[in-house]
């Protein structure tokens, strides 16, 4: 087998790997297929055959001379192929143009750096192309791992959301049991109240009514604003705080319907409250305050907890949390949600009290949809 034939086999294998990586980059950067996978595979296989054909054309005796035609062909092909995937048009076109520039740019940079010329011999072009493909492969693996980490974080948030709803459903179930029990014995309660009132024992009647009210109260339902999504999150987190012996107070003034997704408000409240509870583990006499207020499209959230000097966090002029601070864990996700709603986020530790304040413009997000 001649050296030239081996060179062609090697370059075709590298091109095949490169095209496979293009498919993986499109999936990870744009989204899943919007067509059948077999159709997408056939289209990319057709492009591989075309690239092999361009390699064999007698344009030049050097592989590096064919790279320019391959670069232009790849940009044209990807500009159409990216529409096989789900995603925004701007992201699709950015991927279609940036991936060829990155790969073929790396190819030329390596050739120039190693051999001081972009038009090199075939053996040297194989080294440059193989190195560029290896770097491309490493970048694709890194991107895939980042996406997997992102999906894992979202899965954890969804799992916690499920636990919160289970907690809320248990609260509702217990309330229904109490109502049925009270309803079953209502005639006896009314008879007792009637006898107490008839005998003029007002204090005993009031005490009896108080006991009935206490029986109806559900000790696990701390917040009852009417907004079941937010109530379930707060009830779950307040229960966690009480189990951790944290003195907690709250004030929630929100309507039953609010223009924010359950996922987004869960990310915000869960991260803020989890971070506050983690920070309070080693604090004597821990206390936590929760304030939520909604007014004409504006949602204000303020979380406060006592802190030590070592936990002090200083927010910069853009109101960004420091990632190295205890409170910074997970707050990149909070900041992302805040930016989505064109809001502001501020934090700081003053006089032994750490506060995290968020303002969301919910009416704006509705208009921009």
């Amino acid at each position: 087998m001649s050296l030239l034939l081996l060179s062609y086999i090697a370059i075709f294998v590298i091109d095949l790997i490169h095209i496979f990586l293009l498919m993986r980059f499109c999936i990870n950067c744009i989204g899943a297929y919007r067509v059948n996978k077999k159709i997408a595979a056939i289209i990319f296989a057709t492009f591989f055959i075309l690239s092999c054909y361009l390699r064999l054309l007698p344009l030049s005796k050097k592989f590096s001379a064919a790279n320019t035609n391959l670069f232009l062909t790849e940009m044209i092909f990807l500009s159409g192929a990216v529409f096989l995937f789900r995603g925004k048009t701007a992201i699709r076109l950015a991927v279609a143009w940036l991936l060829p520039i990155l790969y073929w740019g790396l190819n030329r940079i390596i050739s120039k750096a190693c051999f001081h010329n972009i038009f090199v011999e075939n053996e040297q072009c194989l080294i440059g192309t193989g190195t560029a493909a290896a770097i491309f492969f490493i970048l694709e693996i890194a991107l895939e791992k980042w996406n997997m980490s992102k999906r894992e974080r979202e899965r954890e948030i969804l799992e916690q959301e499920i636990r919160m709803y289970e907690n809320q459903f248990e609260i509702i179930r217990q309330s229904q049991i109490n109502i049925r029990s009270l309803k079953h014995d209502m005639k006896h309660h009314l008879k007792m109240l009637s006898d107490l009132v008839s005998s003029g024992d007002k204090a005993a009647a009031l005490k009896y009514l108080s006991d009935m009210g206490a029986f109806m109260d559900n000790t696990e339902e701390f917040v009852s604003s009417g907004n079941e999504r937010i109530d379930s999150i707060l009830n779950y987190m307040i229960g966690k705080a009480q189990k951790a012996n944290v003195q907690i107070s709250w004030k929630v003034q929100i309507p039953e319907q609010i223009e924010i997704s359950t996922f987004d408000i869960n990310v915000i409240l869960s991260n803020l409250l989890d971070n506050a509870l983690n920070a309070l583990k080693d604090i004597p006499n821990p206390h936590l305050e929760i304030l939520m207020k909604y007014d004409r499209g504006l949602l204000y959230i303020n979380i406060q907890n006592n802190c030590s000097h070592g936990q002090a966090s200083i927010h910069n002029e853009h109101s960004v949390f420091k990632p190295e601070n205890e409170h910074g864990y997970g707050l990149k996700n909070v900041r992302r949600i805040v930016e989505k709603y064109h809001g502001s986020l501020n934090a700081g530790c003053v006089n032994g009290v750490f506060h995290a304040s968020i303002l969301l413009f919910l009416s704006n997000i509705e208009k921009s949809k």
Side-chain angles (χ1 to χ4, degrees):
M1 190 176 291
S2 67
L3 182 62
L4 181 61
L5 181 58
L6 286 173
S7 297
Y8 272 107
I9 292 174
I11 200 72
F12 289 159
V13 169
I14 293 173
D15 284 347
L16 180 62
I17 293 171
H18 168 59
I19 290 171
F20 173 75
L21 291 175
L22 285 178
M23 293 177 65
R24 298 302 305 168
F25 264 110
C26 288
I27 293 171
N28 287 316
C29 294
I30 304 172
Y33 293 109
R34 64 186 302 178
V35 298
N36 188 283
K37 289 184 179 180
K38 290 182 179 179
I39 295 174
I42 290 170
I43 292 173
F44 276 89
T46 303
F47 175 60
F48 170 66
I49 294 170
L50 176 61
S51 68
C52 292
Y53 173 74
L54 292 174
R55 289 281 189 193
L56 294 169
L57 285 177
L59 298 173
S60 173
K61 294 180 180 179
K62 295 182 178 181
F63 292 153
S64 55
N67 286 352
T68 300
N69 289 328
L70 288 169
F71 165 67
L72 294 174
T73 304
E74 187 173 302
M75 287 198 72
I76 294 170
F77 167 78
L78 279 180
S79 295
V82 290
F83 289 91
L84 300 173
F85 304 87
R86 296 188 180 95
K88 296 180 179 179
T89 301
I91 295 176
R92 290 170 178 165
L93 295 178
V95 169
W97 297 336
L98 290 177
L99 288 181
I101 291 172
L102 176 62
Y103 178 74
W104 296 105
L106 276 172
N107 200 322
R108 294 207 166 191
I109 290 170
I110 292 168
S111 296
K112 184 69 174 177
C114 296
F115 309 112
H116 310 291
N117 195 344
I118 59 174
F119 295 103
V120 294
E121 299 299 326
N122 287 351
E123 293 80 3
Q124 295 171 333
C125 185
L126 277 171
I127 295 172
T129 305
T131 305
I135 295 173
F136 215 55
F137 176 75
I138 293 170
L139 290 173
E140 198 282 326
I141 291 295
L143 179 61
E144 193 154 335
K145 285 190 173 182
W146 183 83
N147 281 336
M148 287 178 64
S149 176
K150 181 180 177 182
R151 288 193 294 270
E152 180 66 20
R153 290 195 300 270
E154 290 177 351
R155 184 185 65 81
E156 290 175 356
I157 291 172
L158 289 173
E159 284 181 350
Q160 178 160 289
E161 189 172 316
I162 290 170
R163 291 195 297 272
M164 291 173 180
Y165 277 118
E166 288 175 347
N167 181 71
Q168 190 69 10
F169 289 147
E170 179 59 27
I171 290 171
I172 294 171
R173 188 186 69 84
Q174 189 59 49
S175 295
Q176 289 175 339
I177 290 173
N178 291 348
I179 290 170
R180 284 198 297 269
S181 299
L182 190 65
K183 184 178 179 181
H184 180 268
D185 296 328
M186 185 58 72
K187 61 181 179 180
H188 304 299
H189 296 309
L190 291 175
K191 176 69 169 56
M192 178 59 69
L193 284 170
S194 178
D195 291 344
L196 291 172
V197 172
S198 298
S199 64
D201 195 346
K202 182 179 178 182
L206 291 173
K207 177 66 168 57
Y208 196 91
L209 285 171
S210 177
D211 291 342
M212 287 178 64
F215 178 80
M216 287 297 298
D217 284 340
N218 192 331
T219 57
E220 297 296 321
E221 187 174 27
F222 309 104
V223 179
S224 182
S225 68
N227 189 306
E228 293 183 2
R229 298 173 298 171
I230 295 177
D231 288 350
S232 65
I233 298 170
L234 292 175
N235 284 327
Y236 178 79
M237 299 305 297
I238 292 170
K240 273 181 73 173
Q242 291 195 341
K243 289 176 183 176
N245 297 317
V246 173
Q247 183 181 350
I248 184 167
S249 61
W250 58 90
K251 184 177 182 181
V252 180
Q253 296 177 338
I254 56 174
E256 293 184 7
Q257 301 296 326
I258 196 169
E259 309 92 345
I260 186 170
S261 75
T262 303
F263 183 85
D264 291 344
I265 194 64
N266 187 20
V267 169
I268 292 173
L269 293 176
S270 296
N271 276 294
L272 290 179
L273 293 170
D274 270 337
N275 289 340
L277 293 176
N278 287 333
L280 289 170
K281 286 180 180 178
D282 300 320
I283 300 292
N285 301 318
H287 65 263
L288 175 64
E289 296 180 10
I290 303 170
L291 172 63
M292 288 188 68
K293 189 174 182 180
Y294 178 88
D295 184 28
R296 290 172 291 184
L298 300 179
L299 178 62
Y300 176 70
I301 303 171
N302 182 264
I303 310 294
Q304 293 189 14
N305 60 271
N306 50 337
C307 64
S308 64
H309 294 294
Q311 294 174 322
S313 172
I314 302 173
H315 57 288
N316 61 24
E317 59 183 347
H318 300 293
S319 302
V320 175
F321 285 91
K322 298 292 185 179
E324 65 272 18
N325 183 264
E326 282 188 50
H327 292 267
Y329 179 74
L331 284 169
K332 287 183 179 179
N333 291 331
V334 174
R335 190 183 309 119
R336 176 173 53 83
I337 300 299
V338 170
E339 290 172 354
K340 173 182 174 181
Y341 291 88
H342 315 295
S344 62
L345 181 154
N346 296 278
C349 188
V350 181
N351 298 326
V353 177
F354 183 90
H355 71 90
S357 301
I358 290 178
L359 184 64
L360 303 178
F361 295 86
L362 302 186
S363 56
N364 287 352
I365 200 72
E366 285 294 308
K367 292 174 183 177
S368 63
K369 287 181 180 179

